[in-house]
Amino acid sequence: MPAVIELPSTIKRSPKKAQNTWVKAHDSAVREYGEGRRAHMTAFAALKHSFEKVGDHWEPKEQKGPSDKGAARSGRTAEGVDANASKEHLQGVASRLGVVGRSRMTKKELVDAIKKANRRATTKAATKAMAKATTTKATTKKATTTKATTKAR
């Protein structure tokens, strides 16, 4: 299945370059490994080289390269948070995400707090998208029903 169809929602809300990076890496991985989880993981690994997750989307990183030790050796990652960035950068991201107590946090605590805020923002965006889709579906169904009733008269 083409990656454009499988594009995760967080990437749909990201810049075109992030979308293209994920799609190209995913399609290449599908040719190499076949459909499935491994292709998705490979695409995210490629994305994390140039982008970091901020809230419910991905933004370009200041410097290219692995975002954390896990991404460098294909192990447990920081979920798209650029753990190799400076503490000041992480505090700035935490500030944009509304993380409380960030000025007293260590670098590791900042990474964990940003991961948690990112998950929360992604869940909120997904819930909002589902509600919108449900409303649109209900509106379309109501319009179709009204049209059919009018036509039957």
Side-chain angles (χ1 to χ4, degrees), residues 102-119:
R102 63 190 168 271
S103 62
R104 294 180 303 278
M105 292 182 181
T106 65
K107 194 170 173 180
K108 184 183 179 325
E109 290 171 331
L110 281 166
V111 169
D112 290 341
I114 292 168
K115 284 175 17 181
K116 187 175 179 180
N118 285 347
R119 284 189 223 120

Side-chain angles (χ1 to χ4, degrees), residues 89-102:
H89 173 79
L90 293 171
Q91 285 178 326
V93 171
S95 173
R96 289 177 30 216
L97 294 172
V99 173
V100 179
R102 63 190 168 271

